[in-house]
């Protein structure tokens, strides 16, 4: 069974930093691209970042480019999101999500339970 | 940037009725479109990937269709557990990335 478990969230002041982690199990982690998606309270879904299976290709939404860095450690089946220069508008529930495999192009077929990040003074 | 528009914003139906949800892209996304269901307090659940392929374990009453800019999700006969918010999502190749529509709430 695929499991994704996020950790590392919390309350941080504007301008501060946090590092989110996502522990993966139940699948061959290195074979799949992974993503971070966030959801502000009561709002819709926003894609944040993606990383290829090997970790060499990374992509970001314009809203976080230059402030957030995605990485992975395939030896530890772990995904990370380093968030710097946090703003109030970064307050959200952050999900890690696994891209659907094979030749499929669009879809995230497994999601964690989410971790809350609150940016407030 | 590609913008997804979902309609209607809210769909009020009864169990047993047919639901048709629309997702329109501001430019072609080929068939690189997915649909998700989200219930309150839960993570999204993938229903359809690549426009028309049901994800593993998804009941046959869910179906997706469309290509380029116009897509739809159909629930053939609503079950009580289907009342939720539904999001569409595109994948872009150039520039690489993803985006979500604002959602359609299906309620009683």
């Amino acid at each position: 069974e695929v499991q994704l478990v996020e950790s590392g969230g919390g309350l941080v002041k504007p301008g501060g930093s946090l590092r989110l982690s996502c522990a993966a199990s139940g699948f061959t982690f290195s074979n799949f691209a992974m993503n971070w998606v966030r959801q502000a309270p009561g709002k819709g879904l926003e894609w944040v970042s993606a990383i290829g299976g090997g970790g060499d290709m990374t992509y970001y939404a314009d809203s976080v480019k230059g402030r957030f860095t995605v990485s992975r450690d395939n030896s530890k089946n772990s995904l990370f999101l380093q968030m710097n220069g946090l703003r109030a508008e970064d307050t959200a529930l952050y999900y890690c999500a696994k891209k659907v495999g094979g030749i499929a192009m669009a879809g995230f077929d497994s999601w964690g339970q989410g971790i809350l990040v609150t940016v407030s003074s | 940037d590609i913008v997804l528009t979902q309609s209607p914003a809210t769909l009020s139906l009864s169990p047993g009725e047919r639901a048709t949800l629309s997702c329109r892209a501001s430019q072609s996304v080929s068939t690189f479109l997915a649909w998700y269901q989200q219930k309150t307090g839960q993570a999204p659940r993938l229903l359809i990937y690549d426009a028309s392929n049901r994800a593993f374990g998804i009941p046959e009453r869910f179906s997706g269709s469309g290509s380029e800019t116009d897509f739809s999700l159909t629930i053939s006969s609503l079950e009580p557990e289907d009342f939720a918010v539904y999001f569409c999502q595109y994948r872009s190749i150039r520039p690489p990335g993803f985006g979500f529509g604002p959602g359609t709430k299906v309620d009683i």
Side-chain angles (χ1 to χ4, degrees), chain B residues 4-106:
Chain B
L4 295 181
T5 303
Q6 291 188 243
S7 61
T10 303
L11 194 54
S12 297
L13 294 169
S14 300
E17 290 193 295
R18 182 184 186 90
T20 302
L21 288 64
S22 172
C23 178
R24 181 161 290 177
S26 58
Q27 59 186 275
S28 174
V29 297
S30 183
T31 56
F32 303 161
L33 191 106
W35 289 94
Y36 298 86
Q37 176 193 69
Q38 188 178 35
K39 297 179 181 178
T40 302
Q42 296 184 17
R45 173 194 182 197
L46 178 66
L47 300 174
I48 302 289
Y49 66 92
D50 290 357
S52 61
N53 298 281
R54 257 190 311 276
F56 180 78
I58 301 302
E60 289 186 5
R61 64 181 182 273
F62 291 93
S63 63
S65 64
S67 65
E68 307 295 342
T69 60
D70 288 302
F71 300 87
S72 62
L73 173 72
T74 299
I75 310 171
S76 59
S77 179
L78 282 163
E79 297 287 341
E81 62 267 28
D82 299 337
F83 292 92
V85 180
Y86 293 82
F87 294 96
C88 56
Q89 175 204 35
Y90 73 85
R91 176 180 178 173
S92 170
I93 302 301
R94 294 184 191 89
F98 299 86
F100 290 90
T104 290
K105 182 179 182 181
V106 177

Side-chain angles (χ1 to χ4, degrees), chain A residues 35 37 39 43-47 50 59-60 62 95 99-101 103-114, chain B residues 1 31-34 36 38 42-46 48-50 55 87 89-91 93 96-102:
Chain A
N35 295 266
V37 176
Q39 188 167 33
K43 302 296 184 183
L45 300 168
E46 181 186 14
W47 172 76
Y59 311 99
Y60 301 93
D62 287 345
Y95 294 101
K99 184 188 165 295
V100 64
I103 61 171
M105 295 296 286
F108 301 162
D109 62 357
S110 296
W111 296 64
Q113 82 287 355
Chain B
D1 284 3
T31 56
F32 303 161
L33 191 106
Y36 298 86
Q38 188 178 35
Q42 296 184 17
R45 173 194 182 197
L46 178 66
I48 302 289
Y49 66 92
D50 290 357
F87 294 96
Q89 175 204 35
Y90 73 85
R91 176 180 178 173
I93 302 301
F98 299 86
F100 290 90

